[in-house]
Amino acid sequence: SLAAIILLGLVASVSSCMAVTGGLLISIAAKYGEQHPNLKWHQKFRPHIYFNIGRIASYTLFGGLIGIIGSKLPIFSVSGGALTIIASLIMIILGLQMLRIFPSLSKFHIRMPNFMAHKMHDASASQSNSAPFAFGASTFFFPCGFTQALQFYVLSTGSFAAGSATMFAFSLGTLPALMSVGA
């Protein structure tokens, strides 16, 4: 259900999403604060707002597009149940990693290539208001296990509406923790 997906977003936002996305958001906000030291606190919050609007918009749009891709590829419509099982297993593994029950599971990580991370860090110094929006939008493609598990699930739905609603709900679930980073 969408309520469960929002709850999953809340859990993800205090674990892997905070580690993957929070660092980028803090970097953008810190550079903005350095470039504009005389702004009031609510004016310094601007990059956080643009970042999260970009993030929510991209999750909604790309979630729908992944749903459409799932409907066009016959292998995914036939094996939708298998994809749901794979996505569920990934979520279970992530949960077990968070609980640290099986230390050997800590080796199961997907990381962003260093050259991409360095390029994104350099671009975060941009003075443009569109930079935080673009960085927020790009987080859909970050190697976050929760996001990737939901992307597999959305692929199996074969529906733009289900895909966009699922990813929108997830991004809303991650919003409180990411906005608290800004606060």
Side-chain angles (χ1 to χ4, degrees):
S1 72
L2 292 179
I5 303 257
I6 289 172
L7 182 62
L8 181 66
L10 287 168
V11 170
S13 69
V14 295
S15 61
S16 63
C17 284
M18 188 61 72
V20 174
T21 305
L24 177 62
L25 179 56
I26 289 170
S27 173
I28 291 168
K31 287 187 191 265
Y32 186 81
E34 288 172 5
Q35 294 166 349
H36 304 94
N38 297 325
L39 295 178
K40 296 181 184 196
W41 72 269
H42 66 287
Q43 293 170 318
K44 288 184 179 184
F45 207 65
R46 182 176 293 148
H48 296 276
I49 294 168
Y50 286 127
F51 183 90
N52 283 294
I53 289 171
R55 196 175 52 76
I56 291 169
S58 73
Y59 274 58
T60 304
L61 175 65
F62 290 128
L65 293 176
I66 287 176
I68 289 174
I69 291 169
S71 73
K72 301 297 181 199
L73 299 174
I75 189 169
F76 293 117
S77 62
V78 171
S79 61
L83 282 175
T84 302
I85 291 170
I86 291 169
S88 299
L89 288 173
I90 291 171
M91 285 190 241
I92 289 169
I93 290 170
L94 289 169
L96 291 173
Q97 282 179 335
M98 288 172 56
L99 294 172
R100 297 184 180 141
I101 294 174
F102 301 107
S104 62
L105 288 178
S106 65
K107 298 174 189 170
F108 178 71
H109 287 290
I110 300 171
R111 301 190 195 290
M112 180 184 300
N114 282 339
F115 76 92
M116 288 177 67
H118 291 297
K119 286 199 178 278
M120 293 190 74
H121 175 67
D122 294 342
S124 68
S126 171
Q127 297 264 350
S128 170
N129 285 335
S130 63
F133 181 89
F135 281 115
S138 72
T139 61
F140 184 80
F141 302 102
F142 282 14
C144 171
F146 288 100
T147 304
Q148 291 167 339
L150 282 175
Q151 289 167 345
F152 270 117
Y153 167 72
V154 165
L155 190 63
S156 72
T157 67
S159 163
F160 180 86
S164 60
T166 298
M167 296 311 289
F168 176 75
F170 178 72
S171 65
L172 282 183
T174 62
L175 187 60
L178 290 174
M179 290 299 283
S180 71
V181 167

